[in-house]
Each structure stands twice: as structure tokens, then as C-alpha cells.
Amino acid sequence: MRARDLPSAIERFLLSPFSLLLAVAIAFVLNAYSLPLTDVDEGAFSEATREMMARGNLVSPTLNDAPRHDKPILIYWAQAVSVSALGVSEIGFRLPSIVFAVLWMLALYRFCARHADRRTAQVAALVMALSLAVGFVAKAAISDALLNLFIALSMFGIYDYFCAERDGKPAGQTRRLLFYTYGMLGLGFLTKGPVAVFFPLLVSGLFFVSAGAWRAWLRAIFFWPGWLVFLAIVVPWHVAVYLDQGDAFFRGFYLKHNVNRYSNTFEGHGGKWYYYLVVLPFVLMPFFGWLLAIVGKLAGRLRRAPLGTMRGEGLFERFLLIWFVVVFAFFSFSGTQLPHYLLYGCTPVFILLAKYRPDFERRWLAYMPLILFAVVLAALPEILTFAAGKAGKPFEKTLLDGLVVAFSDQARWLLPLLAVAAIGLALWRSLPVWQGLLLAGLLQAVMISAIIAPRVIGVTQGPIREAAQVARDAGGTVVAWRIIMPSFSVYRQAATPTRVPVEGELVLTRTDRQSEVQALLAPGLRMNNLYQKSFVTLARVEREGQP
């Protein structure tokens, strides 16, 4: 093949189904079946599902035998189905997220194909699959892939309803769209509560009013058969959990994890109004520069869409932009801020990037954020070595020393490859920008899934998995002291309460807190270490002088 024909071959590959399959295999699946569950979130969701199945109570999740009110039930049911088929394993708990992420991607593809074209749909699906944050939630045993699927499906149903009203479609078709949308709202609510309904209602209201279609919006809002569908999905489990627990879930979830989480900082996850301005480049990496490159083109398109009319150009883009801005603004003023919250508003960004993909314009602006990110990754071994030398706390020092060793192998020369490739693609002036960035996205996904994640998770979670196996083989009662690692309970397949141990029990604690546990033991008792590695210690409490 001649060099000048290579860009055409790359385009054919990127627009073929094989590129989507490759993106899913690398970003969603690679190593999801083998890497240890991460704490706290993956471990907490997985252990709650395991305990729910072990107790035979499919209504009220618990975590280490204490009620867990963080989320509604749907993700636990999905994980329970998967674990029933695949067993208590990493892939058993993660498979639902992989499946939901693929469905999210396919829904995005179909929506773009309806309202744009198939080339745009293909590129949007690739951008989504290869974005850094999507890759993380797609292979994590948490609820975010499922929630993003239902938020996206709800929003897609809303815009389809708008188009049906605008185009004068038969009443039967608009009613079917409303039934469908309310169904998605109900499933989203059963996944994460009010947030799955709040954003679709607010975004749809702003959009319909801006398009002069407020009457159509009111007809949708007061479509009582749709609300019956919503209630039929949501109410039965809420009644069941009330009968099982009383009002504990309602106080714990709706008051603590919704109202209080928004107004106050939870678990140290506070931020500033500019938090998501800093986070957005990493969430979209390697495509943030792509977004910068198309801002002017997108702004020009929106100026041609006059407010207050259901006709005219730019309505599709306006809907997508309102969707993103509402999510971005809402969480920017939240008391609790986490990077993955922004994903609820990133589906429209994936579509806008695909619709306004740059060919040869603003090339270096499109590539520069990726190059800077890749340079940081290339310097990661040196950064870790420097941080380890500065660490003062024993826990931090132990982790960083472990990471330094983990990245001292072939990773030292593998990590710079992304920076070299990014610079090379930027210099390849005959290759369209969007194609080069998608190729870089595939390489970034390989770098994260095959090089960085195994080393980081191996150091931070590997000892927990090993300690759990030792504890399971040793048998007896196991407790934890000042260490929050729910994945330990998953691997041990038994709940691990937190308290001071007594004679004959095993205790899991951080290595730097072993002396603290010893000081709390009754006189004449000592800790006999069964396992100690990195920051993890597992010991049996025995009588002094006992062999």
C-alpha cells in the first residue's frame, strides 16, 4: 500500500464495525476479568450484592451486615443475575457494567443515525467508547454505566418526541414515545433515584421553551398514563423496602445521599465552582482538544437557530448543548463533586464532536491537550519516584514505594509511546485530525488497560485479595480495624464487621496501625501476623506465650 493511500485505509477501518468491536474489547473488556476489585466503590457494590444473595433478601442490600442506603436496587439485581451465572468473581460483578456501556454506545449510535447520519453515528460511538472516563465506568462494578444508559435513553426519547410533535406525526406515535420515555425515567430512578428524572425534566423544559414548544412540553409533563408507567416501575420495590426496613432507606438515601450530598461535602469529595473546568479535559481525553477545535464552528451553527421557533437549523445542537450545560452547571455548585458526575452530560458532547469533526483545521490546538497528557504519563515513573521521596506518612510512603517498583519494568519505555504517537499523528498533515485522535484513543485505551491499570490496581488492591484468601483458608471470625476495604469481604465471601478484635479472632488492619490495635487488646493478648504485605496486615489475636 502506498503511503498516500494510508489515510483512506484508516478511514475505512474507523468507519467499519471492526473499529467499534476493537474499541469495546480494549476499553471495556481488557483485564476487567482479572484485575482485583477496587475500593471503596467496586468493593462496596459487589459485597452488598454478595450479601444480598447470601441472605436470600433481594430487597434490602447490606454492607458488612449493616444496611446500605447509597443506591436503589436495580444495579444490585443486575449484578446478582450475573454472579448467579458466573460466580463470585471480578467478571461476575463487572459484566453488567460492560453490557450496559455497550448498550449505551449502541443507543447513541442509533440516535445519531436517526438525527444525523451513519458516519456521524460511527464516530460518536468511537469517541464515547475511547473517552477516558467512559472506559473507567464501563469496566467498574458500580451503577454509573447503567445510570448513563437510562439518562441517555430518556433524553433521546425526549428529543424524538419533540421531532414527532414538530413534524405533526400521528398521536399514536407521540404517545408511544412518551410511554417509552417514562419507562426509561422509571428505570433510571430505580438505578440512582431523583437525579435520573431531574435532568431530563429540566433539560426538556428549557429546550422546549426555547423552541417555542412549551405546549408540547406541558402535554408531555401531564401525560398521566406515562406517570402510571413510571410509578409501576418505581413503587413496588419502595413498598417492599419499607415493609422490610421501615423508613430507614428513605431517610438514608433521599435525605442523606441526595439532599445532604448536594448541599454538603461527603467523604472529602468537595470542590470549587471551577472543579469541572479542570476535570473536563481528563474526562474527555484524548478528545478535549477536538472540542476546543470545533467551538467556533458550533457557535456559528447555533447562531443560525433563532429562539422561539420549532423550525430552523441548529435545534439539534441546541438540545445537546442545553443537556451538557445543565449537568455541568448543576454539579459545579454541588457540595460533593466527583469526576464521573460529569458523564451524565457528556453523551451530547460525544455527538457534537462527531458531528463537527475537524479535518485539517486547528490541528495543534486539537492535539496539544493529548500531547501534554501523554507527556505526563511518560514521566509517571519519575513522578512516582519523586513523590515517594517526599512522602512523610508511612501509609503513603508504602503505597508510593510499591508503585515505584511496579513501574520500574518495561513500563518505562512503553509509557512514552503515547506521546511519541500523538506528536507523530499531529505532524502527519495528510491525516484528518479526527482520524488521528481516534487512533490515539485506541492507543490510550491500550495504555490505560494493559499498562497503567494492572500496575496501579495490583499495588493498591492485590494485597487485599491475597489477604482475603489467607483469611478464608484460616477460617474463624474476622474483623477489621480502621481500614475500609469492602473487597476483602467479597473475596473472603463473608461480612467483615469493624471493631476491636478479641482472643482467637483474625483482624485486618493497615500495617501502620498494627501498634494501635495491639494497644487496644485485652491484657495478655498479642497479634500473630498471618499475612503482611505493603500496607495490609492480617493477624490472629492470641494469648501471649501461646505457640
Side-chain angles (χ1 to χ4, degrees), residues 63-86:
L63 178 58
N64 287 324
D65 288 337
R68 175 170 166 82
H69 299 142
D70 290 47
K71 301 292 181 295
I73 198 65
L74 197 56
I75 184 60
Y76 303 112
W77 285 347
Q79 288 186 340
V81 171
S82 178
V83 169
S84 296
L86 300 175

PDB file of all heavy atoms in Angstrom, residues 63-86:
ATOM      1  N   LEU A  63     -24.078  -3.933  53.728  1.00  0.00           N
ATOM      2  CA  LEU A  63     -22.630  -3.938  53.519  1.00  0.00           C
ATOM      3  C   LEU A  63     -21.977  -4.285  54.834  1.00  0.00           C
ATOM      4  O   LEU A  63     -22.104  -3.532  55.812  1.00  0.00           O
ATOM      5  CB  LEU A  63     -22.143  -2.583  53.007  1.00  0.00           C
ATOM      6  CG  LEU A  63     -20.636  -2.449  52.791  1.00  0.00           C
ATOM      7  CD1 LEU A  63     -20.131  -3.497  51.807  1.00  0.00           C
ATOM      8  CD2 LEU A  63     -20.273  -1.052  52.311  1.00  0.00           C
ATOM      9  N   ASN A  64     -21.305  -5.422  54.868  1.00  0.00           N
ATOM     10  CA  ASN A  64     -20.744  -5.948  56.115  1.00  0.00           C
ATOM     11  C   ASN A  64     -21.809  -6.003  57.204  1.00  0.00           C
ATOM     12  O   ASN A  64     -21.604  -5.591  58.344  1.00  0.00           O
ATOM     13  CB  ASN A  64     -19.528  -5.127  56.549  1.00  0.00           C
ATOM     14  CG  ASN A  64     -18.323  -5.415  55.669  1.00  0.00           C
ATOM     15  OD1 ASN A  64     -18.108  -6.547  55.226  1.00  0.00           O
ATOM     16  ND2 ASN A  64     -17.534  -4.384  55.394  1.00  0.00           N
ATOM     17  N   ASP A  65     -22.977  -6.499  56.783  1.00  0.00           N
ATOM     18  CA  ASP A  65     -24.140  -6.742  57.648  1.00  0.00           C
ATOM     19  C   ASP A  65     -24.796  -5.480  58.171  1.00  0.00           C
ATOM     20  O   ASP A  65     -25.715  -5.559  58.997  1.00  0.00           O
ATOM     21  CB  ASP A  65     -23.768  -7.658  58.828  1.00  0.00           C
ATOM     22  CG  ASP A  65     -23.531  -9.098  58.383  1.00  0.00           C
ATOM     23  OD1 ASP A  65     -24.053  -9.477  57.312  1.00  0.00           O
ATOM     24  OD2 ASP A  65     -22.821  -9.832  59.096  1.00  0.00           O
ATOM     25  N   ALA A  66     -24.398  -4.310  57.686  1.00  0.00           N
ATOM     26  CA  ALA A  66     -25.061  -3.052  58.047  1.00  0.00           C
ATOM     27  C   ALA A  66     -25.867  -2.573  56.846  1.00  0.00           C
ATOM     28  O   ALA A  66     -25.428  -2.720  55.698  1.00  0.00           O
ATOM     29  CB  ALA A  66     -24.037  -2.000  58.448  1.00  0.00           C
ATOM     30  N   PRO A  67     -27.071  -2.011  57.055  1.00  0.00           N
ATOM     31  CA  PRO A  67     -27.885  -1.553  55.921  1.00  0.00           C
ATOM     32  C   PRO A  67     -27.108  -0.596  55.022  1.00  0.00           C
ATOM     33  O   PRO A  67     -26.377   0.280  55.502  1.00  0.00           O
ATOM     34  CB  PRO A  67     -29.062  -0.848  56.602  1.00  0.00           C
ATOM     35  CG  PRO A  67     -29.158  -1.490  57.949  1.00  0.00           C
ATOM     36  CD  PRO A  67     -27.737  -1.792  58.355  1.00  0.00           C
ATOM     37  N   ARG A  68     -27.239  -0.774  53.719  1.00  0.00           N
ATOM     38  CA  ARG A  68     -26.584   0.103  52.737  1.00  0.00           C
ATOM     39  C   ARG A  68     -27.659   0.870  51.987  1.00  0.00           C
ATOM     40  O   ARG A  68     -28.465   0.287  51.252  1.00  0.00           O
ATOM     41  CB  ARG A  68     -25.727  -0.710  51.769  1.00  0.00           C
ATOM     42  CG  ARG A  68     -25.097   0.120  50.641  1.00  0.00           C
ATOM     43  CD  ARG A  68     -24.076  -0.692  49.870  1.00  0.00           C
ATOM     44  NE  ARG A  68     -23.696  -0.085  48.618  1.00  0.00           N
ATOM     45  CZ  ARG A  68     -22.785   0.896  48.490  1.00  0.00           C
ATOM     46  NH1 ARG A  68     -22.181   1.374  49.556  1.00  0.00           N
ATOM     47  NH2 ARG A  68     -22.489   1.373  47.294  1.00  0.00           N
ATOM     48  N   HIS A  69     -27.665   2.184  52.149  1.00  0.00           N
ATOM     49  CA  HIS A  69     -28.711   3.028  51.576  1.00  0.00           C
ATOM     50  C   HIS A  69     -28.170   3.955  50.488  1.00  0.00           C
ATOM     51  O   HIS A  69     -28.812   4.943  50.159  1.00  0.00           O
ATOM     52  CB  HIS A  69     -29.358   3.874  52.683  1.00  0.00           C
ATOM     53  CG  HIS A  69     -30.013   3.052  53.755  1.00  0.00           C
ATOM     54  ND1 HIS A  69     -29.983   3.400  55.096  1.00  0.00           N
ATOM     55  CD2 HIS A  69     -30.691   1.882  53.683  1.00  0.00           C
ATOM     56  CE1 HIS A  69     -30.629   2.488  55.794  1.00  0.00           C
ATOM     57  NE2 HIS A  69     -31.065   1.555  54.973  1.00  0.00           N
ATOM     58  N   ASP A  70     -27.023   3.628  49.939  1.00  0.00           N
ATOM     59  CA  ASP A  70     -26.397   4.526  48.966  1.00  0.00           C
ATOM     60  C   ASP A  70     -27.156   4.612  47.648  1.00  0.00           C
ATOM     61  O   ASP A  70     -27.174   5.664  47.008  1.00  0.00           O
ATOM     62  CB  ASP A  70     -24.958   4.074  48.681  1.00  0.00           C
ATOM     63  CG  ASP A  70     -24.033   4.311  49.861  1.00  0.00           C
ATOM     64  OD1 ASP A  70     -24.429   3.956  50.986  1.00  0.00           O
ATOM     65  OD2 ASP A  70     -22.937   4.844  49.667  1.00  0.00           O
ATOM     66  N   LYS A  71     -27.731   3.501  47.198  1.00  0.00           N
ATOM     67  CA  LYS A  71     -28.369   3.452  45.879  1.00  0.00           C
ATOM     68  C   LYS A  71     -29.637   2.610  45.950  1.00  0.00           C
ATOM     69  O   LYS A  71     -29.755   1.721  46.792  1.00  0.00           O
ATOM     70  CB  LYS A  71     -27.411   2.827  44.849  1.00  0.00           C
ATOM     71  CG  LYS A  71     -26.080   3.541  44.673  1.00  0.00           C
ATOM     72  CD  LYS A  71     -26.240   4.894  44.036  1.00  0.00           C
ATOM     73  CE  LYS A  71     -24.877   5.568  43.843  1.00  0.00           C
ATOM     74  NZ  LYS A  71     -24.199   5.878  45.111  1.00  0.00           N
ATOM     75  N   PRO A  72     -30.583   2.859  45.035  1.00  0.00           N
ATOM     76  CA  PRO A  72     -31.720   1.936  44.889  1.00  0.00           C
ATOM     77  C   PRO A  72     -31.258   0.568  44.382  1.00  0.00           C
ATOM     78  O   PRO A  72     -30.056   0.314  44.227  1.00  0.00           O
ATOM     79  CB  PRO A  72     -32.625   2.653  43.877  1.00  0.00           C
ATOM     80  CG  PRO A  72     -32.231   4.090  43.952  1.00  0.00           C
ATOM     81  CD  PRO A  72     -30.744   4.070  44.237  1.00  0.00           C
ATOM     82  N   ILE A  73     -32.180  -0.274  44.027  1.00  0.00           N
ATOM     83  CA  ILE A  73     -31.920  -1.705  43.939  1.00  0.00           C
ATOM     84  C   ILE A  73     -31.449  -2.218  42.583  1.00  0.00           C
ATOM     85  O   ILE A  73     -30.858  -3.295  42.505  1.00  0.00           O
ATOM     86  CB  ILE A  73     -33.203  -2.464  44.358  1.00  0.00           C
ATOM     87  CG1 ILE A  73     -32.892  -3.920  44.727  1.00  0.00           C
ATOM     88  CG2 ILE A  73     -34.256  -2.372  43.240  1.00  0.00           C
ATOM     89  CD1 ILE A  73     -32.021  -4.070  45.934  1.00  0.00           C
ATOM     90  N   LEU A  74     -31.669  -1.494  41.495  1.00  0.00           N
ATOM     91  CA  LEU A  74     -31.549  -2.104  40.172  1.00  0.00           C
ATOM     92  C   LEU A  74     -30.155  -2.641  39.871  1.00  0.00           C
ATOM     93  O   LEU A  74     -30.000  -3.721  39.299  1.00  0.00           O
ATOM     94  CB  LEU A  74     -31.984  -1.111  39.084  1.00  0.00           C
ATOM     95  CG  LEU A  74     -32.287  -1.715  37.713  1.00  0.00           C
ATOM     96  CD1 LEU A  74     -33.339  -2.810  37.819  1.00  0.00           C
ATOM     97  CD2 LEU A  74     -32.746  -0.633  36.745  1.00  0.00           C
ATOM     98  N   ILE A  75     -29.107  -1.905  40.253  1.00  0.00           N
ATOM     99  CA  ILE A  75     -27.752  -2.372  39.946  1.00  0.00           C
ATOM    100  C   ILE A  75     -27.438  -3.650  40.717  1.00  0.00           C
ATOM    101  O   ILE A  75     -26.757  -4.552  40.208  1.00  0.00           O
ATOM    102  CB  ILE A  75     -26.699  -1.274  40.257  1.00  0.00           C
ATOM    103  CG1 ILE A  75     -25.301  -1.737  39.843  1.00  0.00           C
ATOM    104  CG2 ILE A  75     -26.731  -0.876  41.717  1.00  0.00           C
ATOM    105  CD1 ILE A  75     -25.162  -2.065  38.376  1.00  0.00           C
ATOM    106  N   TYR A  76     -27.956  -3.773  41.933  1.00  0.00           N
ATOM    107  CA  TYR A  76     -27.708  -4.993  42.711  1.00  0.00           C
ATOM    108  C   TYR A  76     -28.404  -6.187  42.069  1.00  0.00           C
ATOM    109  O   TYR A  76     -27.843  -7.290  42.038  1.00  0.00           O
ATOM    110  CB  TYR A  76     -28.194  -4.810  44.145  1.00  0.00           C
ATOM    111  CG  TYR A  76     -27.577  -3.638  44.862  1.00  0.00           C
ATOM    112  CD1 TYR A  76     -28.340  -2.528  45.210  1.00  0.00           C
ATOM    113  CD2 TYR A  76     -26.226  -3.632  45.192  1.00  0.00           C
ATOM    114  CE1 TYR A  76     -27.778  -1.443  45.863  1.00  0.00           C
ATOM    115  CE2 TYR A  76     -25.647  -2.549  45.842  1.00  0.00           C
ATOM    116  CZ  TYR A  76     -26.440  -1.455  46.173  1.00  0.00           C
ATOM    117  OH  TYR A  76     -25.876  -0.383  46.822  1.00  0.00           O
ATOM    118  N   TRP A  77     -29.601  -5.979  41.561  1.00  0.00           N
ATOM    119  CA  TRP A  77     -30.297  -7.073  40.865  1.00  0.00           C
ATOM    120  C   TRP A  77     -29.524  -7.486  39.614  1.00  0.00           C
ATOM    121  O   TRP A  77     -29.396  -8.676  39.322  1.00  0.00           O
ATOM    122  CB  TRP A  77     -31.709  -6.646  40.494  1.00  0.00           C
ATOM    123  CG  TRP A  77     -32.649  -6.611  41.661  1.00  0.00           C
ATOM    124  CD1 TRP A  77     -32.452  -7.133  42.907  1.00  0.00           C
ATOM    125  CD2 TRP A  77     -33.954  -6.016  41.677  1.00  0.00           C
ATOM    126  NE1 TRP A  77     -33.540  -6.903  43.702  1.00  0.00           N
ATOM    127  CE2 TRP A  77     -34.490  -6.232  42.982  1.00  0.00           C
ATOM    128  CE3 TRP A  77     -34.728  -5.340  40.745  1.00  0.00           C
ATOM    129  CZ2 TRP A  77     -35.756  -5.774  43.353  1.00  0.00           C
ATOM    130  CZ3 TRP A  77     -35.990  -4.884  41.117  1.00  0.00           C
ATOM    131  CH2 TRP A  77     -36.497  -5.103  42.399  1.00  0.00           C
ATOM    132  N   ALA A  78     -29.020  -6.500  38.870  1.00  0.00           N
ATOM    133  CA  ALA A  78     -28.262  -6.819  37.657  1.00  0.00           C
ATOM    134  C   ALA A  78     -27.006  -7.612  37.997  1.00  0.00           C
ATOM    135  O   ALA A  78     -26.667  -8.598  37.329  1.00  0.00           O
ATOM    136  CB  ALA A  78     -27.898  -5.537  36.908  1.00  0.00           C
ATOM    137  N   GLN A  79     -26.288  -7.194  39.041  1.00  0.00           N
ATOM    138  CA  GLN A  79     -25.090  -7.924  39.443  1.00  0.00           C
ATOM    139  C   GLN A  79     -25.441  -9.312  39.962  1.00  0.00           C
ATOM    140  O   GLN A  79     -24.698 -10.273  39.722  1.00  0.00           O
ATOM    141  CB  GLN A  79     -24.331  -7.138  40.510  1.00  0.00           C
ATOM    142  CG  GLN A  79     -23.632  -5.895  39.988  1.00  0.00           C
ATOM    143  CD  GLN A  79     -22.769  -5.221  41.037  1.00  0.00           C
ATOM    144  OE1 GLN A  79     -22.941  -5.420  42.237  1.00  0.00           O
ATOM    145  NE2 GLN A  79     -21.819  -4.412  40.586  1.00  0.00           N
ATOM    146  N   ALA A  80     -26.565  -9.426  40.652  1.00  0.00           N
ATOM    147  CA  ALA A  80     -26.966 -10.732  41.179  1.00  0.00           C
ATOM    148  C   ALA A  80     -27.227 -11.723  40.052  1.00  0.00           C
ATOM    149  O   ALA A  80     -26.853 -12.902  40.141  1.00  0.00           O
ATOM    150  CB  ALA A  80     -28.218 -10.577  42.048  1.00  0.00           C
ATOM    151  N   VAL A  81     -27.865 -11.265  38.984  1.00  0.00           N
ATOM    152  CA  VAL A  81     -28.111 -12.137  37.828  1.00  0.00           C
ATOM    153  C   VAL A  81     -26.785 -12.607  37.237  1.00  0.00           C
ATOM    154  O   VAL A  81     -26.588 -13.793  36.934  1.00  0.00           O
ATOM    155  CB  VAL A  81     -28.952 -11.404  36.765  1.00  0.00           C
ATOM    156  CG1 VAL A  81     -29.014 -12.227  35.480  1.00  0.00           C
ATOM    157  CG2 VAL A  81     -30.363 -11.142  37.289  1.00  0.00           C
ATOM    158  N   SER A  82     -25.836 -11.674  37.086  1.00  0.00           N
ATOM    159  CA  SER A  82     -24.542 -12.006  36.503  1.00  0.00           C
ATOM    160  C   SER A  82     -23.758 -12.966  37.391  1.00  0.00           C
ATOM    161  O   SER A  82     -23.188 -13.961  36.914  1.00  0.00           O
ATOM    162  CB  SER A  82     -23.740 -10.717  36.272  1.00  0.00           C
ATOM    163  OG  SER A  82     -22.461 -10.995  35.758  1.00  0.00           O
ATOM    164  N   VAL A  83     -23.735 -12.696  38.700  1.00  0.00           N
ATOM    165  CA  VAL A  83     -22.978 -13.546  39.627  1.00  0.00           C
ATOM    166  C   VAL A  83     -23.608 -14.932  39.717  1.00  0.00           C
ATOM    167  O   VAL A  83     -22.899 -15.938  39.878  1.00  0.00           O
ATOM    168  CB  VAL A  83     -22.889 -12.868  41.007  1.00  0.00           C
ATOM    169  CG1 VAL A  83     -22.344 -13.821  42.056  1.00  0.00           C
ATOM    170  CG2 VAL A  83     -22.006 -11.621  40.918  1.00  0.00           C
ATOM    171  N   SER A  84     -24.928 -15.012  39.590  1.00  0.00           N
ATOM    172  CA  SER A  84     -25.590 -16.317  39.607  1.00  0.00           C
ATOM    173  C   SER A  84     -25.099 -17.193  38.464  1.00  0.00           C
ATOM    174  O   SER A  84     -24.992 -18.414  38.601  1.00  0.00           O
ATOM    175  CB  SER A  84     -27.105 -16.137  39.515  1.00  0.00           C
ATOM    176  OG  SER A  84     -27.608 -15.462  40.649  1.00  0.00           O
ATOM    177  N   ALA A  85     -24.767 -16.556  37.341  1.00  0.00           N
ATOM    178  CA  ALA A  85     -24.297 -17.315  36.181  1.00  0.00           C
ATOM    179  C   ALA A  85     -22.793 -17.529  36.190  1.00  0.00           C
ATOM    180  O   ALA A  85     -22.310 -18.601  35.801  1.00  0.00           O
ATOM    181  CB  ALA A  85     -24.711 -16.586  34.899  1.00  0.00           C
ATOM    182  N   LEU A  86     -22.035 -16.527  36.646  1.00  0.00           N
ATOM    183  CA  LEU A  86     -20.574 -16.565  36.526  1.00  0.00           C
ATOM    184  C   LEU A  86     -19.857 -16.793  37.843  1.00  0.00           C
ATOM    185  O   LEU A  86     -18.633 -16.952  37.856  1.00  0.00           O
ATOM    186  CB  LEU A  86     -20.080 -15.261  35.895  1.00  0.00           C
ATOM    187  CG  LEU A  86     -20.623 -14.948  34.494  1.00  0.00           C
ATOM    188  CD1 LEU A  86     -20.156 -13.572  34.035  1.00  0.00           C
ATOM    189  CD2 LEU A  86     -20.192 -16.017  33.506  1.00  0.00           C
TER     190      LEU A  86
END
